[in-house]
Amino acid sequence: MNTADTHGSDRAGHQAHSEDDFREESTVCGGAAGGDHYEDQGHTPDQGEMELAERHALRRVQGLSTELTDVTEVEYRKLRLERVVLIGVWTRGTQTDADNSLTELAALAETAGALVLEGLTQRRSKPDPATYVGKGKAAELRDIVEATGADTVICDGELTPGQLRQLEDVVKVKVVDRTALILDIFAQHASSSEGKAQVELAQLNYLLPRLRGWGDSLSRQAGGSGGGGAGGGVGTRGPGETKIETDRRRINDKMAKLRRQLAHMRTAREVKKDVRRSREVPSVAIAGYTNAGKSSLLNRLTGAGVLVENALFATLDPTVRQARTPDGRGFTLSDTVGFVRHLPHQLVEAFRSTLEEVADSDLILHVVDGAHPDPEQQISAVREVFAEIEAVDVPELIVVNKVDAADPDTLRALRTRYPDLVEVSARTGEGVPELVTALAEALPELAKEVRALVPYSRGDLIARVHEEGRILSEEHTGDGTALHAFVPELLAAKLDEYAPSNA
């Protein structure tokens, strides 16, 4: 049931882009963009290949539970999702829309390590406030769970604590909603210290209002010991502090600690960002729906060697690489976390510092999966997240990926709706030169145009112009190097003294 297209994240087919007019400024590996096919003696695996091999080595084994006994301790790989039945409620749209939504839920479940057995949809004006699907459908769901031997039900929506508890009482197995499923995938794929802290904060934020729905272990404790012995004694017995109050306090303390840690990490990122701002280096953020091929495109453009996998939310940690346009302008390309329909607000809040890379960029490369059955819906979902992180005013260049596997009618419809889009295939390299040209035209121009005759003794200034600016013409004369270029303001001030009028 996984609709993710293998063309956008082929493990061995993404060779680094080697054209001279668009290259990473630092040394990069020119190997495959992802995968575990690096047994050849002459091939050195890049970082993405090694991460992918490690991830596959840690896949869950069917039948082994990783479920916690104490729900107040949030750890990674927490949910037990071996054999699952899916259930979705659709309140608007067509049956095709409902089927696409359930297919995406199946892909999420498989990414989390589950075996999907059955999928059901129900048409309602709104979800049932008690059991999400209503009494009759819940009984039908219980019969399917018993017949298939499933141990988990996954709902295509966010359930309230009451819905979660009452539906579990009917189906007699664990019930997980879409939000908990996505959080579990993030917990599996987080690798950096910041990513792990962000995911843990989102998990705790989700768990806090649902403590009452996690079983009967949250009953009241006995009162204080006082002078009456172990049980509190005569006159001192009472409700005391309940287990749920203790758990809430522990969770709130942990969340406060995580927020402090993320604030320190954000400060370090801001320092790096300030350096780029001072040099006036334009920034380009690659954003889009999950599994649209963003990391594959970054590898194709810069040879970054980041992890590529045919799975939803394969990469979470942002990757920044330097590159140059054909006319010599330097800029940064940053890969960001993928988006999805109804992205949990807990994740948006926890990853806000990371998502600010998109809001602070000069240009967004909005990558769309051209092979998806409904790319228009993907574009709408991504733009909803743009609105949440206040990135709607950032210039946007739509890039339709996987055109080698896309339906021609779908591409024609997208061209009609978005005439300025660029069609590419990160797997084959088709359309990449056109993307480079469109990207160069969309980048903001450097602040100031200068003409200067720089003496040969100031080779350092010439080097900086080559590194930071865009040269329109350069001529070596008897008196020095005659330059006509666009450069950042700070560099323009140093070149002013060599302007022809001041020479």
Side-chain angles (χ1 to χ4, degrees):
M1 297 180 70
N2 193 333
T3 59
D5 186 78
T6 57
H7 291 76
S9 53
D10 189 278
R11 295 182 184 171
H14 294 226
Q15 297 299 323
H17 185 51
S18 59
E19 296 184 21
D20 291 334
D21 60 356
F22 192 96
R23 61 190 181 279
E24 185 191 8
E25 298 202 317
S26 57
T27 303
V28 297
C29 296
D36 50 5
H37 305 292
Y38 49 82
E39 293 86 355
D40 294 341
Q41 303 250 336
H43 175 65
T44 302
D46 59 29
Q47 184 65 28
E49 290 173 331
M50 291 187 289
E51 289 179 3
L52 186 59
E54 181 182 3
R55 179 175 295 179
H56 286 171
L58 293 173
R59 287 297 185 198
R60 303 180 191 195
V61 178
Q62 183 175 335
L64 297 181
S65 173
T66 58
E67 191 175 66
L68 296 180
T69 56
D70 183 358
V71 299
T72 63
E73 296 294 334
V74 175
E75 295 179 0
Y76 307 110
R77 305 171 179 270
K78 189 186 71 171
L79 298 179
R80 178 174 175 262
L81 297 171
E82 284 85 4
R83 299 168 59 84
V84 303
V85 173
L86 312 178
I87 179 70
V89 172
W90 56 291
T91 58
R92 57 184 178 180
T94 64
Q95 182 65 48
T96 301
D97 297 331
D99 291 343
N100 288 340
S101 179
L102 204 67
T103 301
E104 181 178 274
L105 185 67
L108 288 167
E110 290 168 359
T111 300
L115 175 63
V116 178
L117 304 178
E118 289 284 350
L120 305 171
T121 59
Q122 182 188 34
R123 174 69 170 175
R124 297 178 63 95
S125 58
K126 61 180 181 179
D128 182 72
T131 59
Y132 180 69
V133 293
K135 183 178 179 181
K137 200 68 173 181
E140 179 185 344
L141 181 61
R142 179 194 59 211
D143 295 339
I144 292 176
V145 167
E146 292 176 352
T148 58
D151 53 31
T152 305
V153 170
I154 304 180
C155 299
D156 192 16
E158 184 169 334
L159 273 60
T160 65
Q163 289 173 328
L164 191 70
R165 180 65 177 269
Q166 292 184 62
L167 188 57
E168 281 184 344
D169 289 342
V170 175
V171 299
K172 306 302 181 184
V173 296
K174 185 173 183 177
V175 176
V176 176
D177 62 13
R178 181 187 178 92
T179 299
L181 177 61
I182 294 176
L183 288 173
D184 182 66
I185 296 172
F186 271 60
Q188 292 184 54
H189 292 177
S191 57
S192 69
S193 58
E194 183 176 19
K196 290 178 180 178
Q198 289 169 327
V199 172
E200 186 174 2
L201 178 60
Q203 286 180 314
L204 290 170
N205 198 20
Y206 171 82
L207 178 62
L208 186 59
R210 291 170 174 79
L211 286 179
R212 290 186 182 275
W214 287 87
D216 298 326
S217 63
L218 306 180
S219 58
R220 293 181 144 196
Q221 297 174 334
S225 59
V234 176
T236 61
R237 298 184 181 94
E241 184 179 34
T242 61
K243 177 73 159 57
I244 194 170
E245 289 169 347
T246 305
D247 292 340
R248 282 175 177 162
R249 185 174 67 251
R250 292 172 60 191
I251 289 177
N252 281 321
D253 291 345
K254 181 64 174 177
M255 289 172 66
K257 181 180 178 181
L258 288 170
R259 290 193 179 101
R260 288 193 298 269
Q261 291 176 355
L262 289 171
H264 290 308
M265 296 174 186
R266 180 179 181 180
T267 301
R269 192 188 306 111
E270 287 291 336
V271 170
K272 297 178 182 178
K273 194 182 299 183
D274 287 340
V275 172
R276 295 197 295 268
R277 287 186 187 133
S278 65
R279 298 180 60 186
E280 299 183 31
V281 178
S283 61
V284 178
I286 304 177
Y289 213 77
T290 180
N291 208 32
K294 299 181 296 298
S295 298
S296 301
L297 191 60
L298 179 67
N299 287 347
R300 171 65 66 173
L301 293 174
T302 68
V306 299
L307 183 148
V308 173
E309 184 182 12
N310 181 30
L312 306 186
F313 301 114
T315 52
L316 302 182
D317 302 313
T319 301
V320 181
R321 292 291 185 271
Q322 288 187 324
R324 283 190 177 276
T325 61
D327 56 14
R329 281 180 293 169
F331 65 96
T332 61
L333 266 174
S334 59
D335 185 18
T336 59
V337 63
F339 304 144
V340 73
R341 286 185 318 107
H342 311 307
L343 189 67
H345 67 274
Q346 294 95 341
L347 282 175
V348 176
E349 287 301 318
F351 279 75
R352 184 167 294 276
S353 58
T354 302
L355 294 175
E356 283 175 358
E357 292 282 348
V358 178
D360 294 339
S361 63
D362 297 296
L363 176 68
I364 297 175
L365 287 188
H366 182 169
V367 182
V368 181
D369 184 354
H372 191 271
D374 189 6
E376 287 270 5
Q377 184 270 330
Q378 285 193 349
I379 294 175
S380 299
V382 171
R383 286 180 169 173
E384 286 179 7
V385 181
F386 286 169
E388 282 194 64
I389 61 176
E390 300 178 356
V392 290
D393 296 329
V394 181
E396 176 188 30
L397 176 61
I398 294 181
V399 182
V400 180
N401 192 23
K402 308 181 187 179
V403 294
D404 54 322
D407 179 61
D409 293 335
T410 301
L411 291 179
R412 279 194 293 270
L414 286 173
R415 288 189 209 107
T416 303
R417 182 73 182 272
Y418 309 100
D420 296 328
L421 62 78
V422 181
E423 300 175 12
V424 303
S425 170
R427 184 179 73 91
T428 65
E430 177 185 351
V432 171
E434 290 79 6
L435 172 59
V436 171
T437 302
L439 193 154
E441 293 174 352
L443 278 178
E445 188 55 84
L446 290 169
K448 195 166 183 180
E449 182 180 7
V450 296
R451 296 176 186 269
L453 182 62
V454 184
Y456 292 118
S457 60
R458 294 305 310 270
D460 59 316
L461 290 180
I462 301 295
R464 285 190 59 184
V465 172
H466 278 271
E467 182 182 356
E468 302 175 24
R470 181 168 72 92
I471 296 177
L472 302 179
S473 66
E474 182 179 18
E475 181 182 358
H476 299 290
T477 68
D479 298 323
T481 303
L483 286 174
H484 180 202
F486 282 95
V487 297
E489 287 189 4
L490 290 176
L491 182 55
K494 294 181 179 295
L495 292 170
D496 277 346
E497 61 177 297
Y498 304 112
S501 58
N502 297 334

